[in-house]
Amino acid sequence: MMKMKWKKGKSLLSMLIAVCCLLVTITPVVYADHEKGPANHAQAAALIDVTSGRMLYSKNGDERLRIASLTKIMTAIVAIEHGKLDDRVKISKNAFAKEGSSIFLKLGEEMTLENLLFGLMLRSGNDAATAIAEHVGGTEEGFVMLMNEKAAQLGMTNSHFMNPHGLDHDEHYSSANDMAKLTAYALKNPVFSEIVKTPTKKAPNPNESWDYKWDNKNKMLRFYEGADGVKTGYTKKAFRCLVSSATRNGQQIAAVTLNDGNDWNDHSNMLDYGFAHFPLKKVTEKGQKIQGYTLVTGSSFTYAFAHDEESRLVKRLVLHKATAPDVSFGLRGHIELLLDNVSIGKVPVYEEGSRLPETPDVMQKSRSTSGPLGSLSLWQSAGEVIRHLFRANHN
């Protein structure tokens, strides 16, 4: 969070409280048995709507399992958030000739972090993973600490990382539900999403007259309509693992399977199931007037509804007391959205004519993948809103 000097400590507290109320929060709901869900051969599986964060399907979703190179989803997003893409990374002895899949980097070779990320996600290079970790984290161990911190922030309660590449380790594991949460979060990052949907990437090769050329191992990009990610994985103990994503009609869905010998077909079935049974629908528009009040909504709200669910949605207006600290900026309360008596989110409401917050897109989307309460990402997002407000005030 940007450092600011405040004359009164209470002002910061009041603003943080107000900012937290600006954000639309969504509570992901697992829809456990819609026609028994999509058929698959996985030991564990999960299906998630990326925008709303709703878990559309889960099979043994909280079981702790080996995840092989699906680990690199976490490696990539941590590196993107903590590193500089144009940094030149030198390949160390530890990264050179790393066992398992490789992009065949040479000892002492230098490559930009951005290109290493392509090699990591398209070709699953363990040498790239190690080099990235050492550069961004100072040491591989330091980077793993960042990975576990991120997992905690995202509410990945059944995950623990021991390395950046996913080679087998008894204390290195995750779950299908956790990987779905992580993927939904990562796909909202434009750098990450661009990398994982790239079919082929060329990168300068300082040691040869020809460039590196990396074809994406993810076959879903080639045979599933709308596919735009994410990562393959395999070790002798984890067996076949896959995370895929696809976008159709403005809706993005991600699928996860762990230990699935028929993953390509299963992912096609799972994604088809998600698009067919849980279309994304807009519940509110930003600035929408509330009938009977001089109030408007502060943001839009979208959700993946099953058939007939939208008709059961209840909207409850909750107004704040005039003396509450969160009435600054014109905030007057929120609309709580209830589906079958379960809260699926809240939309802030403002006095008509108030200046509505222009929340950054990535923050609006990331609200849905932080778990039932979303407290950690909420406070992190608060900093972004404060930065925006003060930037606007000083323009």
Side-chain angles (χ1 to χ4, degrees):
M1 186 178 289
M2 190 173 87
K3 294 181 179 178
M4 300 178 184
K5 293 182 179 179
W6 295 82
K7 292 183 179 179
K8 295 183 180 179
K10 291 183 179 179
S11 299
L12 176 58
L13 179 59
S14 297
M15 179 164 284
L16 284 174
I17 293 172
V19 166
C20 289
C21 293
L22 301 180
L23 307 178
V24 176
T25 57
I26 294 180
T27 303
V29 177
V30 175
Y31 195 85
D33 186 16
H34 185 278
E35 299 178 356
K36 296 184 179 180
N40 62 83
H41 302 79
Q43 183 175 348
L47 188 69
I48 193 168
D49 174 71
V50 171
T51 299
S52 68
R54 184 180 190 182
M55 203 73 73
L56 310 179
Y57 167 76
S58 180
K59 170 186 175 183
N60 300 326
D62 292 327
E63 185 177 355
R64 295 178 175 183
L65 295 170
R66 299 176 191 270
I67 57 170
S69 286
L70 302 191
T71 298
K72 290 162 184 161
I73 297 172
M74 178 63 86
T75 302
I77 193 62
V78 169
I80 291 167
E81 291 182 348
H82 289 269
K84 295 180 180 179
L85 296 180
D86 58 356
D87 273 2
R88 298 198 65 80
V89 181
K90 190 172 184 178
I91 308 307
S92 70
K93 185 177 180 180
N94 188 37
F96 170 65
K98 192 73 177 180
E99 65 177 296
S101 55
S102 175
I103 57 172
F104 306 105
L105 298 167
K106 301 289 177 58
L107 180 62
E109 179 179 346
E110 291 189 0
M111 181 177 287
T112 65
L113 177 60
E114 182 177 15
N115 284 334
L116 281 174
L117 286 166
F118 276 97
L120 175 81
M121 298 304 288
L122 273 63
R123 298 305 301 171
S124 203
N126 291 341
D127 47 356
T130 304
I132 289 168
E134 291 177 336
H135 178 78
V136 175
T139 63
E140 188 170 329
E141 293 76 16
F143 187 82
V144 170
M145 185 182 298
L146 295 176
M147 296 172 73
N148 285 312
E149 285 179 357
K150 194 66 181 180
Q153 290 173 6
L154 295 177
M156 297 172 64
T157 55
N158 290 300
S159 300
H160 186 259
F161 297 93
M162 291 297 293
N163 60 61
H165 38 67
L167 291 174
D168 288 321
H169 189 292
D170 288 344
E171 295 180 35
H172 186 101
Y173 54 81
S174 188
S175 68
N177 285 352
D178 278 3
M179 291 308 298
K181 289 180 185 178
L182 171 62
T183 301
Y185 173 84
L187 283 170
K188 294 168 190 117
N189 184 291
V191 175
F192 180 92
S193 63
E194 181 64 29
I195 291 172
V196 298
K197 72 181 180 182
T198 300
T200 301
K201 173 69 176 178
K202 287 186 176 182
N205 186 339
N207 302 302
E208 304 290 347
S209 58
W210 40 268
D211 289 341
Y212 287 107
K213 182 182 178 183
W214 302 315
D215 293 321
N216 201 318
K217 289 185 177 183
N218 183 6
K219 294 180 182 179
M220 294 292 289
L221 295 177
R222 296 188 285 279
F223 77 75
Y224 189 83
E225 182 184 353
D228 48 18
V230 177
K231 188 72 188 73
T232 60
Y234 174 83
T235 68
K236 291 181 179 179
K237 292 185 177 181
F239 302 104
R240 292 178 64 91
C241 302
L242 179 64
V243 174
S244 69
S245 66
T247 301
R248 291 182 179 177
N249 299 318
Q251 180 179 19
Q252 188 174 37
I253 294 176
V256 180
T257 53
L258 305 179
N259 185 11
D260 185 349
N262 193 28
D263 49 11
W264 304 120
N265 290 326
D266 286 348
H267 276 244
S268 293
N269 291 335
M270 290 171 68
L271 292 168
D272 283 347
Y273 168 87
F275 288 122
H277 295 292
F278 294 91
L280 191 66
K281 296 182 179 180
K282 185 159 285 189
V283 177
T284 65
E285 293 278 2
K286 182 177 179 179
Q288 184 176 327
K289 292 184 178 181
I290 299 174
Q291 189 174 2
Y293 296 87
T294 58
L295 301 172
V296 295
T297 55
S299 60
S300 61
F301 186 98
T302 54
Y303 198 71
F305 289 100
H307 180 64
D308 285 340
E309 278 189 334
E310 194 174 9
S311 63
R312 304 200 302 271
L313 182 68
V314 174
K315 303 175 184 178
R316 185 170 65 191
L317 179 62
V318 179
L319 296 177
H320 299 163
K321 294 180 181 179
T323 56
D326 55 9
V327 296
S328 55
F329 314 122
L331 182 65
R332 292 293 178 264
H334 64 266
I335 297 173
E336 185 170 17
L337 303 168
L338 301 164
L339 179 60
D340 296 332
N341 253 355
V342 177
S343 178
I344 62 170
K346 296 177 182 179
V347 178
V349 294
Y350 291 81
E351 193 70 37
E352 197 170 354
S354 300
R355 181 175 180 178
L356 302 181
E358 297 178 12
T359 316
D361 289 345
V362 67
M363 186 179 65
Q364 289 181 339
K365 294 178 181 179
S366 68
R367 67 195 174 216
S368 60
T369 56
S370 55
L373 296 180
S375 57
L376 284 170
S377 65
L378 191 62
W379 287 102
Q380 292 166 344
S381 298
E384 294 298 325
V385 177
I386 288 176
R387 278 197 286 272
H388 175 81
L389 290 171
F390 273 81
R391 190 181 304 119
N393 288 340
H394 285 84
N395 283 344

